Amino acid sequence: MRAARHAAPATLPIGSDADLAWVRQQVRQAAAELGFGLVQQTKLVTAASELARNTLVHGGGGQVRITPLDTGQSQGLRLDFVDSGPGIRDLEQAMTDGYTSGGGLGLGLSGAKRLVHEFEVDSRPGEGTTVTVTAWATPVSPSRPGPP
Amino acid sequence: MTGAAGIGPAGGHFTVPVLQLGDVLLVTLQGELHDGMAEQLQQDITDRISHTRVTGVVIDISGVEIVDSFLGRVLAEIAAGAGLLAARTVLAGMRPAVAITLVELGLTLPGLRTALDVERAMELLGAASRPGEGSP
Ligand SMILES: Nc1ncnc2c1ncn2[C@@H]1O[C@H](COP(=O)(O)OP(=O)(O)OP(=O)(O)O)[C@@H](O)[C@H]1O
Ligand SMILES: [Mg+2]
């Protein structure tokens, strides 16, 4: 049976603790509607929570765009976290497990990357940061993430 | 009487039930926990331990759908704070999907004892409450 309708892309603000909770709920709902299994939902929501908090704490707030994807073969969800904060000067350092410029654990970026299938950071110092992640309900064989 | 109450940023009220069962504080986390709420809880639990002289804390997370690095850090800090007040902390009832996700996230919560459910967590505290026993 084919899903009768697909949720349209949605943009949610990230400006407070309450917004983080709302983003988590909306990402979970969208993933569940696309047929993500429970573990895959949990991974994606956890990644979204990390990235949304970075948008809030390090980026000074911003927004997330939630886009359902359908290749005909598989269903996915793309999340774009966008802020116009200070940007990340040294991306390699920021992506290192345990690196934090504040009091965090430094696991948000590197951990989120491990929880999704596709991960991309576009950051310009002084202009802002966009982190884009994609997860698939049923991974497409050619683009399946191999071992690093 | 038994709740650590918090007020959410959106004006909503949330209550984290905290029950004292003999020597143990039982804290039940459920659903969405806002960041500010988690920090408030940390303070409330520490206060409760110092006032009640409990020797153990069980945090039931069977109702928690995700643990991210923020909540993980709060839980680890609650355990560390309790430890300084001579109380042991056991995390009970983590969902399998949460456990799998935490490993991939890289958050292994070292130093936090875990149990499959509250009953086993209580047993663990009872069995391990001999004085003078150090950390594993
Ligand atoms: N949106 C952003 N804007 C600016 N800097 C960022 C952004 N996201 C991450 N960073 C930088 O990258 C570093 C690493 O981020 P990461 O999420 O891995 O760790 P953290 O947020 O410091 O701690 P944790 O997420 O474990 O609580 C941050 O400390 C911060 O300096
Ligand atoms: Mg972070």
Side-chain angles (χ1 to χ4, degrees), chain A residues 49-51 53-55 57-58 99-100 104-109, chain B residues 69:
Chain A
S49 187
E50 296 295 342
L51 298 173
R53 186 175 292 103
N54 281 353
T55 300
V57 175
H58 304 299
Y99 172 78
T100 177
L105 295 173
L107 287 176
L109 275 181
Chain B
S69 67

Side-chain angles (χ1 to χ4, degrees), chain A residues 21-134:
Chain A
W22 183 240
V23 168
R24 288 192 289 260
Q25 277 173 39
Q26 293 300 298
V27 170
R28 179 173 297 274
Q29 192 182 325
E33 277 168 13
L34 289 167
F36 281 65
L38 182 58
V39 171
Q40 196 58 56
Q41 283 178 37
T42 305
K43 288 184 184 182
L44 184 59
V45 174
T46 304
S49 187
E50 296 295 342
L51 298 173
R53 186 175 292 103
N54 281 353
T55 300
L56 178 65
V57 175
H58 304 299
Q63 56 189 42
V64 58
R65 188 165 170 81
I66 303 176
T67 312
L69 306 171
D70 188 351
T71 65
Q73 277 185 328
S74 52
Q75 317 255 301
L77 203 58
R78 190 177 82 220
L79 308 174
D80 303 271
F81 297 85
V82 184
D83 68 62
S84 39
I88 302 174
R89 232 181 304 133
D90 187 340
L91 189 56
E92 205 182 318
Q93 184 184 48
M95 288 298 304
T96 307
D97 264 355
Y99 172 78
T100 177
S101 60
L105 295 173
L107 287 176
L109 275 181
S110 51
K113 183 178 182 183
R114 288 189 287 267
L115 292 171
V116 298
H117 295 121
E118 291 152 42
F119 182 97
E120 199 180 315
V121 181
D122 180 10
S123 189
R124 288 142 214 257
E127 284 179 47
T129 301
T130 297
V131 181
T132 301
V133 299
T134 304

